[in-house]
Amino acid sequence: CNLQPKDAAKMPESAWKLLFYTLSWSYGIYLLFFTEYPFFYDPPSVFYDWKKGMDVPTDIAIAYLLQCSFYGHSIYATAYMDTWRKDSVVMLLHHVVTLTLIAFSYAFRCHHRGLGGERRRQEAVGGDGGKRCWVSQLPGAITPTLPLCPGRFWFRLYWFPLKVLYATCYSSLQSVPDIPFYFFFNALLLVLTLMNIYWFLYIILFVAKVLMGQMQEVNDVREYDVEDSRK
């Protein structure tokens, strides 16, 4: 694709993320909008008829297996394979927290809220791989990149608290007052929310640099410049 060497080195990482999130996001859309699950339009319904040891539907179990495998791999990939960035430590923490939520929500049969929460994260994160694969390498690509910013805000900082945190923090106690690990799950979800705010600040920094004319091409503000890399 006639990429610069540094961009060619990062392309496999971004192409892999684009492929995975496209497939998993599509499967999540199918589960939420083309089945009888009401979780998206009625978030409190994730706790209706909840009981210990309840069966996990096969289609949701497949989604859990897919996500658990991906985030287990991502911990290794972030540490040893991907380009190291200023937020890589936070990214590692994100993967550990997410994998913990996936495993424990499956074990304690909180798979309904796990399904809804993972869709919110994928819809936001999926834009990163796509941006670098088919936007950031194009000349003058700043303008088409900017619409990704309100999208990430909408999914991560609006829908995630509105639909996921509302259900887990409030609705869960209304439906199942003695639900196990209430503080454990919500503490991890709040940690993810803080990470969403942290990454959104990078987006604000990117937009500010564009508006002030300090950036003529799309560069990931999370990455080290040449001098930083040498240090």
Side-chain angles (χ1 to χ4, degrees):
C1 298
N2 296 321
L3 300 177
Q4 296 295 322
K6 68 180 184 69
D7 294 324
K10 293 180 292 185
M11 182 58 73
E13 171 194 347
S14 298
W16 156 244
K17 290 180 179 178
L18 175 62
L19 174 63
F20 172 80
Y21 283 118
T22 298
L23 295 176
S24 60
W25 180 84
S26 299
Y27 186 59
I29 290 297
Y30 162 74
L31 291 178
L32 286 180
F33 296 104
F34 295 95
T35 64
E36 297 180 354
Y37 299 128
F39 310 140
F40 183 84
Y41 297 106
D42 185 17
S45 66
V46 299
F47 296 103
Y48 296 167
D49 301 322
W50 179 90
K51 61 181 181 294
K52 296 180 180 179
M54 62 188 295
D55 293 334
V56 180
T58 302
D59 50 4
I60 294 182
I62 292 174
Y64 262 75
L65 177 62
L66 183 68
Q67 294 300 321
C68 190
S69 302
F70 174 76
Y71 282 105
H73 157 78
S74 294
I75 293 174
Y76 174 83
T78 301
Y80 299 108
M81 296 173 62
D82 296 345
T83 301
W84 193 258
R85 301 181 176 91
K86 297 175 182 178
D87 67 336
S88 291
V89 173
V90 180
M91 185 67 72
L92 276 173
L93 177 62
H94 170 273
H95 295 337
V96 171
V97 169
T98 302
L99 187 60
T100 302
L101 280 169
I102 292 172
F104 276 83
S105 65
Y106 186 89
F108 294 100
R109 297 304 188 255
C110 298
H111 47 279
H112 290 167
R113 61 175 166 177
L115 175 66
E118 189 55 38
R119 293 289 75 71
R120 301 285 76 70
R121 289 191 294 274
Q122 284 186 21
E123 287 161 353
V125 176
D128 180 64
K131 177 190 71 175
R132 186 169 296 141
C133 279
W134 52 268
V135 174
S136 67
Q137 312 304 339
L138 300 178
I142 289 180
T143 300
T145 303
L146 292 179
L148 292 173
C149 301
R152 292 172 71 87
F153 173 84
W154 183 265
F155 289 124
R156 289 193 176 205
L157 299 180
Y158 178 71
W159 266 359
F160 187 80
L162 179 67
K163 293 185 177 292
V164 178
L165 293 183
Y166 171 77
T168 59
C169 293
Y170 176 76
S171 301
S172 60
L173 294 179
Q174 307 302 311
S175 301
V176 190
D178 58 343
I179 190 168
F181 293 94
Y182 172 84
F183 292 102
F184 173 77
F185 282 117
N186 284 294
L188 293 182
L189 289 171
L190 289 174
V191 169
L192 290 182
T193 303
L194 292 176
M195 293 182 189
N196 291 339
I197 296 173
Y198 169 78
W199 277 310
F200 190 70
L201 293 179
Y202 274 111
I203 296 177
I204 297 299
L205 176 62
F206 168 81
V207 174
K209 286 188 174 183
V210 171
L211 295 179
M212 292 187 297
Q214 298 179 6
M215 186 179 294
Q216 301 301 319
E217 60 180 11
V218 175
N219 292 313
D220 194 336
V221 294
R222 299 172 302 162
E223 294 180 354
Y224 296 99
D225 57 28
V226 175
E227 188 63 27
D228 288 336
S229 297
R230 288 174 180 171
K231 291 179 182 179

